[in-house]
Amino acid sequence: MTVDTKLPYNKDYISQFSQEKSEPEWMRDLRLQALEQADSLEMPKPDKTKIDKWNFSHFKHDAPEAGKLTSLDHLPADIQEFLDVDNAPENLLIQRNHTVAFASLKQELKDKGVIFTDIFTALREHGDLVKRYYMKDGVAVDEHRLTALHAALMNGGVFVYVPKNVQVEEPLQVIFWQEDPETAMFNHVLVVAEDNSSLTYVENYISQNEEQETVSNIVTEVIAHDNAQISFGGVDNFAAGTTTYINRRGVAYRDARIEWALGQMNDGNTVSENITHLIGENAVSNAKTVSVGRGKQSQNFTAKIVHFGKESEGHILQHGVMKGSATSIFNGIGKIEHGAKKSNAEQESRVLMLSEKARGDANPILLIDEDDVEAGHAASVGRVDPIQLYYLMSRGITQTEAERLIIHGFLAPVVNQLPIESVKNQLSQVIERKVY
């Protein structure tokens, strides 16, 4: 038995939705073409993970407009955990279902030409700029059925643009709050840094639908032009009822750098792709991911860095903790294309299993089409080291606390990379709840 992925949304619905959002004509046409393509495209086939029975079609596409927040104090406590409410960030956007509930950006950054807004406002006010990048250099509409459905049904997201020679010193933070337990999230995040610019972007996804079924189909495109630097942090925390497909794609040009620090803490079935193309010479990307799986969930994580430019550097670090009957696949792929001389592809994937029924699979893959390069990989799957446990317990620490210290140390290389202290603390709390 397979799940029917045919959706109850036709061309008339898509056209009406686009019109209601006052989208430019090119966006409406892109949606309609994507909807037509979706029927003929196959579903993605993640390695060693069968998704044919996963729910990708049972959801509500749109939700009534949610009210705006007059104060961050009105946020639920679990949302406030992402923020230092007493010292609220000045560059913050909160999306409540599909509605912008709160948005702020420092006037100094506005004066420098920085754009930090929801995707629908960006389409209305900066349509030509969005069109230049939207599903072109990063993720293509026709990669498979889920990318086409994303393009057709996109219903939220943000657009970030930093002009040439502008340095954004303070993080830009976005909270995507899936309040309606049945409404799907087809978010599109587009982050662009022009030549010699820099920024830090942090996003948080959260829902509470433990039983109601819905879908998150998320595409993120991060474009770093020559000598630009982008630090991207994310914490995904969808509840068990949400089936998640998330595709984060980076493109780095000459001397550019993209840093990824991702905490993937979903409780539902998840397919996650984090792929970076190092196009220019001396381009660099570090992709760091942690995940905790529990219950009966199934997860598939792929981190991939493709080297096109000479002397490019790519480093992948994946650490996962599994408990209960959870199963997870971790694919780390370094690919060096012909002509990318003197490039370096390194990767490390490690999985820690806390129960007899938990299953983890770490697959390091190197694909090398050039001779004059460096490459290396490491992978391990195992249980808590009894020697480490014995050492800590010999110092008077209980077994539970010793295991806790080992797990936090195991995940620390990614957790510590998150640039906002409140987000870092919140991720640590999520890890605590999921493991204990």
Side-chain angles (χ1 to χ4, degrees), residues 296-311:
K296 297 181 179 180
Q297 73 178 136
S298 177
Q299 302 178 99
N300 186 291
F301 303 105
T302 295
K304 182 178 181 179
I305 297 178
V306 184
H307 301 251
F308 295 93
K310 295 178 181 178
E311 300 186 67

Side-chain angles (χ1 to χ4, degrees), residues 228-299:
Q229 296 190 33
I230 299 176
S231 177
F232 188 108
V235 177
D236 307 336
N237 192 18
F238 286 111
T242 300
T243 300
T244 300
Y245 168 74
I246 185 162
N247 187 334
R248 292 182 169 111
R249 190 76 54 88
V251 180
Y253 293 96
R254 181 176 54 81
D255 296 318
R257 176 184 289 266
I258 299 177
E259 302 279 351
W260 303 94
L262 306 175
Q264 299 184 312
M265 300 290 141
N266 300 333
D267 278 335
N269 291 337
T270 299
V271 172
S272 172
E273 300 177 29
N274 179 209
I275 301 172
T276 305
H277 290 168
L278 302 178
I279 303 296
E281 293 185 13
N282 300 305
V284 176
S285 182
N286 291 297
K288 298 181 179 181
T289 303
V290 294
S291 176
V292 176
R294 65 178 178 178
K296 297 181 179 180
Q297 73 178 136
S298 177
Q299 302 178 99

Side-chain angles (χ1 to χ4, degrees), residues 314-328:
H315 298 267
I316 295 171
L317 176 66
Q318 297 174 302
H319 281 194
V321 175
M322 301 295 112
K323 64 176 294 190
S325 300
T327 61
S328 293

Side-chain angles (χ1 to χ4, degrees), residues 19-38:
Q19 182 178 347
E20 290 174 357
K21 298 297 184 183
S22 302
E23 293 179 346
E25 184 177 351
W26 69 263
M27 186 64 189
R28 183 203 62 196
D29 292 345
L30 183 148
R31 287 182 180 275
L32 293 174
Q33 291 168 10
L35 184 67
E36 186 174 345
Q37 289 175 301

Side-chain angles (χ1 to χ4, degrees), residues 307 313-317 344-348 366 374-377:
H307 301 251
E313 289 267 349
H315 298 267
I316 295 171
L317 176 66
N344 184 18
E346 302 287 343
Q347 55 186 278
E348 176 187 325
L366 290 172
E374 294 182 32
H377 62 76

